[in-house]
Amino acid sequence: MSRKRISLPEPTTLDKVIGWISPEAGVRRLKAKTVMALYGGYTGARKDRRQTKAWQTMDGSADQVTLPDLPALRERSRDLIRNAPLATGAINTVVTNVVGTGLKVQSRVDRDVLKGVLGDTEEDFEAFERAAEREFRYWAASKHCDASHMQDFAGMQDLALRSVLEAGDVFVLRRFTQRPGARYGTCLQLVEADRISNPDWHMDTPRLAGGVEKNAFGAPVAYHVLQAHPGDLRDPGSRHWVKLRAYDRDGNWLVNHLARPTRVGMTRPAPYLAPVIESLKQLDKYSEAELMAAVVSAMFSVFIKSEDPDGLAPMEDGAGSGRDDKDFQLGPGAILDLLPYESVEIADPKRPNAAFDQFVLAILRQVGVALEIPFELLVKHFTASYSAAQAALLEAWKFFRSRREWLACMFCQPVYEAVITEAVARGHLNAPGFFSDPMLRAAYLGSEWIGPPRGQIDQLKEGKAARERVDMGISTLAEETAALTGGDWERKHRQRAKEKRLRLEAGLDEVQAPVEQTPVPEEPEEQD
């Protein structure tokens, strides 16, 4: 067995000079350099330092360190979302900014690939794009898109993203059910993460982990789904598993696993709130305690302290002092006539706590860093300057945009492809070569997904900046329309042309003559 050879440091010229001046200092210096060579160059890996001696760590594969903790993480994440306002606000902030009213599709066929197949003119391509958007818009706006017939596609986007944030992942089942009055049979069924598990709760293996059956490359081939939620003990389906294939024989997806792994080989990711669960729980308990203390302090109490072992003297003694209950009532300008051995004490718990707000805000700044939500947006509190607020929104928009792109790529686009494929198969769309050539099929299914705009603090400044970008040629009207209003520029352009025509016909606008531009004389070239 070969051993790792360690090269000890050689004394440098400086070491020799120090050793010549002070042999003891030279020995200590060489000893320290030898220890550093044995332990490596990172102090964070040292185990002989007081700061890190008690730091015990253990690491394994992504599934080994994640899967055993997932049930507890999901339960605590959902409990925080139900009962902790800060956790609820964080989830709602992400869902509102990423999904909002729903991502809308804009068909973008590959004109270079489809030229001569779909048509030769721009009108041919635009006609197919409008027809494809119309067919998908009809499917998405109907509750027939949901297997449970409860919500439309925008609502399913909201629920899918919310489920991923709460539990770490969610599963989308592609179903086909022909319902009366429905134009399409394709529909979706969302399955909660808890229902995907190993049959009979068997131990995880390299080929079966967290209910996901994988091949030699780690790609999913099947999912084991409980017929009911495991927490619903009254339902016998909570103990029966069904094996669902990930893809059909033609390679079309049947089960779409929505998740964002954070490590290579991670089968089931942790919830979004997992890194801050303890912080949010402790902060929630602290807020509740401070609130209770403030309520108690609001109940103003006055105590009469007496040195008499029998307690407070009677209101009317035998000598006929005439003291009654009215003498001990609080009131504006009231004076209490106490005996020499009696005094008044007031219960003052020092609440509300003056440092409460600053402490909570300091913790929330750390929570915001972990969740990639700026502090100002997390608490909806903008008190800084316009530039600071704008910087916070821009930083948050990077996170929201990445999540939106992920949702569009992993959830919306596969669903769009399934619906358009059925539309072509049923003859609702004319797409020559759609099923014969994968390249042509991909060219037909090109699209972009537009969501709600990021919002503006000063709309006038944002509008001027958008005009400057368009005039400079670094942006287009379609891009600026999507960024500022989240709409479709072509549709808005047609509507504006219609409105302009109607106003001209009604005499509300005058026809403007074209402005003649005066040619700018060319400057003479400089002679060398």
Side-chain angles (χ1 to χ4, degrees), residues 170-250:
V170 71
F171 296 81
V172 184
L173 275 57
R174 178 182 176 184
R175 300 295 194 182
F176 190 88
T177 304
Q178 192 63 50
R179 295 174 177 174
R183 185 179 177 88
Y184 295 100
T186 299
C187 58
L188 308 176
Q189 180 183 1
L190 298 181
V191 177
E192 209 165 25
D194 309 66
R195 292 177 57 187
I196 311 298
S197 59
N198 295 344
D200 298 324
W201 313 109
H202 287 167
M203 296 292 292
D204 294 321
T205 65
R207 292 295 182 90
L208 178 61
V212 181
E213 189 174 334
K214 299 176 286 187
N215 60 15
F217 298 99
V221 296
Y223 298 91
H224 297 268
V225 186
L226 277 168
Q227 293 182 347
H229 194 279
D232 192 357
L233 301 179
R234 299 171 299 177
D235 195 328
S238 62
R239 293 297 179 269
H240 296 282
W241 282 262
V242 177
K243 182 178 179 179
L244 300 178
R245 292 183 301 165
Y247 301 93
D248 61 12
R249 296 179 179 178
D250 297 328

Side-chain angles (χ1 to χ4, degrees), residues 185-493:
T186 299
C187 58
L188 308 176
Q189 180 183 1
L190 298 181
V191 177
E192 209 165 25
D194 309 66
R195 292 177 57 187
I196 311 298
S197 59
N198 295 344
D200 298 324
W201 313 109
H202 287 167
M203 296 292 292
D204 294 321
T205 65
R207 292 295 182 90
L208 178 61
V212 181
E213 189 174 334
K214 299 176 286 187
N215 60 15
F217 298 99
V221 296
Y223 298 91
H224 297 268
V225 186
L226 277 168
Q227 293 182 347
H229 194 279
D232 192 357
L233 301 179
R234 299 171 299 177
D235 195 328
S238 62
R239 293 297 179 269
H240 296 282
W241 282 262
V242 177
K243 182 178 179 179
L244 300 178
R245 292 183 301 165
Y247 301 93
D248 61 12
R249 296 179 179 178
D250 297 328
N252 299 315
W253 67 273
L254 299 175
V255 180
N256 186 9
H257 183 193
L258 289 182
R260 286 177 61 93
T262 56
R263 283 187 62 181
V264 176
M266 177 177 286
T267 306
R268 307 290 302 277
Y272 173 61
L273 298 178
V276 295
I277 281 181
E278 183 178 358
S279 299
L280 289 177
K281 183 60 179 178
Q282 297 287 13
L283 194 60
D284 182 62
K285 292 170 62 177
Y286 174 61
S287 301
E288 185 178 355
E290 286 292 337
L291 178 60
M292 180 58 66
V295 172
V296 171
S297 67
M299 301 177 181
F300 188 80
S301 300
V302 177
F303 300 91
I304 305 297
K305 182 179 179 181
S306 175
E307 298 180 1
D308 192 338
D310 296 331
L312 189 65
M315 299 302 177
E316 293 186 2
D317 54 12
S321 62
R323 303 172 74 208
D324 55 18
D325 292 342
K326 294 182 179 180
D327 295 328
F328 294 89
Q329 291 180 353
L330 296 177
I335 300 177
L336 299 180
D337 185 14
L338 302 177
L339 294 178
Y341 53 83
E342 296 175 350
S343 62
V344 175
E345 290 191 358
I346 300 175
D348 185 11
K350 306 299 182 182
R351 290 298 186 276
N353 186 1
F356 171 79
D357 189 61
Q358 294 299 324
F359 176 75
V360 171
L361 296 183
I363 299 298
L364 287 181
R365 288 187 176 93
Q366 301 181 28
V367 172
V369 171
L371 300 181
E372 294 189 75
I373 302 178
F375 159 76
E376 294 85 354
L377 192 61
L378 182 62
V379 298
K380 305 297 190 297
H381 189 63
F382 297 91
T383 58
S385 62
Y386 169 83
S387 300
Q390 184 71 5
L393 290 178
L394 290 176
E395 194 66 26
W397 185 246
K398 296 178 183 178
F399 167 68
F400 297 143
R401 184 175 181 180
S402 66
R403 288 280 177 166
R404 179 178 292 182
E405 293 292 335
W406 169 82
L407 184 66
C409 178
M410 303 302 297
F411 179 57
C412 298
Q413 183 63 23
V415 173
Y416 172 76
E417 294 176 359
V419 174
I420 297 302
T421 299
E422 184 182 355
V424 175
R426 289 178 175 268
H428 301 321
L429 289 175
N430 181 25
F434 186 89
F435 294 104
S436 61
D437 189 347
M439 180 65 73
L440 293 178
R441 180 179 179 180
Y444 281 114
L445 296 175
S447 66
E448 293 180 1
W449 292 87
I450 306 299
R454 63 179 176 87
Q456 302 89 34
I457 299 178
D458 191 330
Q459 295 188 8
L460 181 60
K461 291 183 178 179
E462 294 289 342
K464 291 181 179 179
R467 176 176 294 179
E468 289 292 334
R469 288 191 291 267
V470 173
D471 292 341
M472 292 174 60
I474 61 176
S475 182
T476 64
L477 291 174
E479 293 176 343
E480 296 300 334
T481 302
L484 296 179
T485 65
D488 184 355
W489 178 83
E490 294 181 0
R491 189 171 300 171
K492 292 179 181 294
H493 177 70

